[in-house]
Amino acid sequence: MTTSTAPLSALVLPTPAGPLAVLLTPEDGVVRAAGFAPVADMTARLDARLRTRGVQQVAATGPIADAVARYAAGDLDALAEVPVSQPGGPFTQRAWQVMREIAPGETLTYAELAQAAGSPTAVRAAGSACARNLIAPFVPCHRVLRTGGAMGGYYYGLDVKRALLAHESGLLSAA
């Protein structure tokens, strides 16, 4: 965790699923929160140490804005290059890492996520890791589905989840 007290930088970037709010620590360029909600809502989800730093809206330029623009334009691996960090226990961290390894256009079930994260019986914990993810779509929890392919939940709504999956699968099938 960084010890700076400088305000977090906030970007709002266009995506195929709607505006994406991104909060990052300016001293290291690491994304600390991102999602399809207003900046204030994303800020409220942060832990207190980061939240107390405040937020400063900045121009939508730089490597994160570039990665999101490339993703929107069809470079579906662009978001995997962005450095991220969020608090969570060992299993949750492993689950988030596995989510980052799911190829665009592919999905896992919650059971497959639990297995890949090293705890095959931790299916509910895998679902919890998806629900607690602060860094969507950089940690692509939208690529995790219920057994049988049902959507399951998504913090930003199923329409956003469907839009992300359609963007990824549509571009792959068009290639």
Side-chain angles (χ1 to χ4, degrees):
M1 178 62 69
T2 183
T3 58
S4 175
T5 59
L8 300 177
S9 296
L11 308 168
V12 178
L13 305 166
T15 76
L20 176 68
V22 180
L23 302 176
L24 62 129
T25 42
E27 63 274 9
D28 58 10
V30 173
V31 174
R32 305 296 175 156
F36 300 92
V39 169
D41 292 357
M42 297 311 306
T43 304
R45 294 188 71 198
L46 292 169
D47 69 42
R49 289 174 290 175
L50 287 173
R51 199 171 46 246
T52 59
R53 290 176 59 170
V55 175
Q56 178 179 1
Q57 189 94 24
V58 297
T61 60
I64 293 168
D66 178 60
V68 172
R70 288 185 299 137
Y71 171 79
D75 179 358
L76 300 178
D77 292 317
L79 300 183
E81 302 166 8
V82 173
V84 300
S85 180
Q86 60 184 322
F91 174 80
T92 303
Q93 293 292 336
R94 287 193 308 274
W96 289 331
Q97 184 55 47
V98 169
M99 287 179 219
R100 288 200 95 186
E101 295 166 2
I102 302 170
E106 301 293 322
T107 59
L108 290 182
T109 65
Y110 295 109
E112 291 167 334
L113 175 60
Q115 172 80 32
S119 297
T121 61
V123 177
R124 285 183 187 237
S128 180
C130 290
R132 292 183 52 228
N133 177 25
L134 297 177
I135 312 174
F138 300 97
V139 174
C141 57
H142 64 275
R143 296 179 189 155
V144 182
L145 307 174
R146 289 183 177 162
T147 300
M151 283 285 140
Y154 192 62
Y155 188 87
Y156 306 102
L158 292 181
D159 287 344
V160 172
K161 185 172 186 169
R162 284 186 196 97
L164 291 167
L165 292 171
H167 172 65
E168 293 174 0
S169 65
L171 286 173
L172 290 172
S173 63

